[in-house]
């Protein structure tokens, strides 16, 4: 969450600087203050409202971008072939693997997604919403992604001074008259605010539920998030490379998520514990360093690979190898941690003369009709009627809460 907030503020100040030439710090500070106030007062429901505004702003920017391309942008055909953007490249093939792994694993860490998932009315509504959103996002990404090609072929990118490729859309929009640029600027700030308040709300929710188990006053957590905003602003202003910020979080996600996903399966991996998840995640990051050390022949450069010092656009296999080493190393370290844990438990069981039960499947207790009646036939009546409602074995007479229909 910290890195995503950094990336959001860093992008905002760069866009303001690109469109107006002004320092983006005042706008960043105002945005942080405003979002902190209304998310503290309205909570996550306000974030839902701003999401609607965010969607409208995105559509508006896309429409204006299309107009900018159709009316103001002139493609210089002599720049197409020298740009090399229409030719296959090693990086292009590498991205076929890197991007799906990076985006898929990273999305597991976005609490905003999970908050919306659990807020859905039903599974059916969730599937419909996700399907519609996926199609809309695909269209938006195709349009926004093509702005990089158009900016390069029209001579607007890299520009003088050179601009980051992530600003290509705004380089195209900057061709409009000043009053239209002002409208675009307002839309951009609104869009950024809607994204930033979601990250703030998700951070509060994660801290309250996951770290403190809802035992700490929510206002104390909100004050803590406000304090967290200060280093976020500082890092954002000192981090010009937005892509690198996302790549670092993507690499950490690629190391931590694979083992976590396996642990969600009660059918195949019921014996996994949090120990394997923690060791696997740390081992995945360590595997990136090991790969970098071997690949570059230098432990120092291996460490720099962990933070992707050279970014994504390199002409070697270092970044690709890092995103391969992270998930595979994570799984191998988790396997080693599981074998170690099971081995220790087996030894303890033998020493104490107890049965080794670390691989036993967890007992799943269902609350069926038999338990509600306090008895029943066979195993269901015996377990549910006896263990849950005081029944005696199969067909026993249940007493208490379950018999009363509260089980």
């Amino acid at each position: 969450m910290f890195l995503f907030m950094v990336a959001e503020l860093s992008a905002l100040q760069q866009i303001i600087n690109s469109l107006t030439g002004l320092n983006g710090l005042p706008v960043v500070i105002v945005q942080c203050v405003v979002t902190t106030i209304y998310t503290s007062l309205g909570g996550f429901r306000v974030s839902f409202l701003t999401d609607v505004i965010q969607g409208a702003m995105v559509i508006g920017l896309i429409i204006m971008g299309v107009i900018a391309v159709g009316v103001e942008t002139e493609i210089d055909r002599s720049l197409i072939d020298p740009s090399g953007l229409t030719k296959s490249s090693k990086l292009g093939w590498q991205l076929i693997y890197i991007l799906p792994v990076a985006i898929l694993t990273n999305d597991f860490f976005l609490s905003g997604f999970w908050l919306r998932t659990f807020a859905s009315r039903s599974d059916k509504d969730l599937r419909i919403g996700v399907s519609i959103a996926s199609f809309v996002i695909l269209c938006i990404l195709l349009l926004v992604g093509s702005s990089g090609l158009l900016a390069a072929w029209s001579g607007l990118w890299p520009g003088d001074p050179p601009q980051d490729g992530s600003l290509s859309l705004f380089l195209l929009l900057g061709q409009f008259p000043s009053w239209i640029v002002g409208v675009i600027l307002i839309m951009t700030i609104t869009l950024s605010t809607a994204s930033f308040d979601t990250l703030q709300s998700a951070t509060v929710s994660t801290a309250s539920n996951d770290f403190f188990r809802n035992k700490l006053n929510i206002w104390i957590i909100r004050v803590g998030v406000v304090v967290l905003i200060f280093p976020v602003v500082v890092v954002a202003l000192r981090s010009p490379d937005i892509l690198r910020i996302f790549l670092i979080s993507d690499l950490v996600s690629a190391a931590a998520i694979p083992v976590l996903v396996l642990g969600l399966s009660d059918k195949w991996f019921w014996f996994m514990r949090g120990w394997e998840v923690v060791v696997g995640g740390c081992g995945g990051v360590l595997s990136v360093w090991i790969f970098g050390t071997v690949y570059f022949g230098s432990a120092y450069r291996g460490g720099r690979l962990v933070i992707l010092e050279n970014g994504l656009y390199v002409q070697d296999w270092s970044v690709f190898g890092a995103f391969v080493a992270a998930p595979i190393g994570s799984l191998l370290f988790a396997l080693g941690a599981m074998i170690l844990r099971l081995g220790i438990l087996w030894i303890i069981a033998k020493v104490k003369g107890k049965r080794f039960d670390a691989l036993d499947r967890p007992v799943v207790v269902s609350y069926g009709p038999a338990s509600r009646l306090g008895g029943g036939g066979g195993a269901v009546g015996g377990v549910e009627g006896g263990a849950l409602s005081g029944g005696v074995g199969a067909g026993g007479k249940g007493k208490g809460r379950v018999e009363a229909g509260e089980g």
Side-chain angles (χ1 to χ4, degrees):
M1 286 300 172
F2 180 88
L3 290 176
F4 277 109
M5 287 193 288
V6 167
E8 190 64 46
L9 296 183
S10 178
L12 177 62
Q13 66 96 13
Q14 287 188 56
I15 291 171
I16 292 174
N17 182 264
S18 175
L19 291 177
T20 66
L22 301 176
N23 185 2
L25 177 59
V27 179
V28 168
I29 294 176
V30 171
Q31 173 175 294
C32 292
V33 172
V34 171
T35 53
T36 299
I37 292 174
Y38 73 70
T39 52
S40 298
L41 297 176
F44 199 71
R45 294 190 178 186
V46 177
S47 181
F48 279 125
L49 176 61
T50 59
D51 283 345
V52 178
I53 301 175
Q54 180 184 23
M57 294 298 103
V58 169
I59 294 174
L61 282 174
I62 294 300
I63 293 174
M64 299 188 77
V66 172
I67 296 174
V69 171
V71 177
E72 301 290 341
T73 304
E74 295 183 6
I75 302 298
D76 186 351
R77 295 182 179 275
S78 64
L79 297 176
I80 296 179
D81 190 62
S83 69
L85 297 176
T86 58
K87 303 175 182 177
S88 64
S89 64
K90 179 165 59 179
L91 176 62
W93 289 106
Q94 292 174 352
L95 291 177
I96 294 177
Y97 166 80
I98 294 175
L99 288 183
V101 171
I103 295 174
L104 179 62
T105 56
N106 192 269
D107 283 351
F108 277 87
F109 271 121
L110 292 179
S111 296
F113 284 173
W114 293 110
L115 290 173
R116 285 160 175 75
T117 299
F118 293 122
S120 300
R121 183 178 304 172
S122 65
D123 288 349
K124 179 181 178 181
D125 293 330
L126 177 61
R127 293 189 184 98
I128 293 174
V130 169
S131 300
I132 295 174
S134 298
F135 175 76
V136 173
I137 290 174
L138 175 62
C139 296
I140 291 174
L141 290 179
L142 286 174
L143 292 172
V144 174
S146 63
S147 65
L149 301 175
L150 297 173
W153 295 339
S154 61
L156 295 174
W157 183 84
D160 185 22
Q163 299 288 335
D164 191 83
S166 61
L167 299 175
S168 298
L169 174 62
F170 296 95
L171 294 177
L172 293 173
L173 295 176
Q175 301 176 94
F176 279 122
S178 298
W179 69 273
I180 298 182
V181 172
V183 174
I184 294 172
L185 195 59
I186 294 174
M187 297 172 68
T188 302
I189 295 173
T190 305
L191 176 61
S192 177
T193 301
S195 299
F196 193 73
D197 69 38
T198 298
L199 296 172
Q200 280 184 300
S201 299
T203 302
V204 171
S205 176
T206 301
S208 176
N209 184 67
D210 298 339
F211 285 93
F212 299 103
R213 299 298 180 185
N214 298 317
K215 295 179 180 179
L216 190 64
N217 187 285
I218 189 67
W219 284 102
I220 296 178
I221 296 176
R222 284 173 174 164
V223 170
V225 173
V226 172
V227 174
L228 181 65
I229 295 299
F230 289 95
V232 167
V233 173
V234 173
V235 176
L237 296 178
R238 298 178 61 88
S239 302
D241 192 348
I242 306 172
L243 180 59
R244 183 181 170 192
I245 298 173
F246 282 114
L247 283 174
I248 294 174
S249 63
D250 291 340
L251 193 60
V252 174
S253 302
I257 292 302
V259 181
L260 180 63
V261 172
L262 293 181
L264 296 176
S265 173
D266 292 332
K267 181 178 181 181
W268 299 102
F269 301 98
W270 73 90
F271 45 82
M272 293 188 66
R273 298 294 182 268
W275 162 253
E276 284 89 329
V277 176
V278 174
V279 173
C282 296
V285 177
L286 180 61
S287 298
V288 176
W289 174 77
I290 295 174
F291 164 78
T293 300
V294 174
Y295 184 80
F296 292 116
S298 168
Y300 174 77
R301 295 189 65 184
R304 305 301 290 183
L305 180 62
V306 175
I307 60 174
L308 297 169
E309 182 182 35
N310 297 322
L312 178 63
Y313 303 111
V314 294
Q315 300 302 317
D316 55 26
W317 292 89
S318 58
V319 177
F320 179 85
F323 277 94
V324 172
I328 293 179
S330 173
L331 295 173
L332 293 177
F333 270 90
L335 176 63
M338 183 184 66
I339 293 174
L340 176 63
R341 177 178 62 84
L342 294 177
I344 293 175
L345 292 177
W346 183 82
I347 294 174
I348 293 175
K350 289 297 182 181
V351 171
K352 294 184 176 181
K354 297 182 179 180
R355 190 178 73 86
F356 176 67
D357 58 0
L359 293 177
D360 290 356
R361 288 183 177 271
V363 178
V364 179
V365 180
S366 61
Y367 295 84
S371 64
R372 297 181 187 278
L373 296 174
V380 174
V383 173
E384 296 182 350
L388 297 180
S389 60
V392 183
K397 296 182 178 179
K399 305 290 183 180
R401 293 178 60 196
V402 175
E403 187 178 32
E406 299 179 11

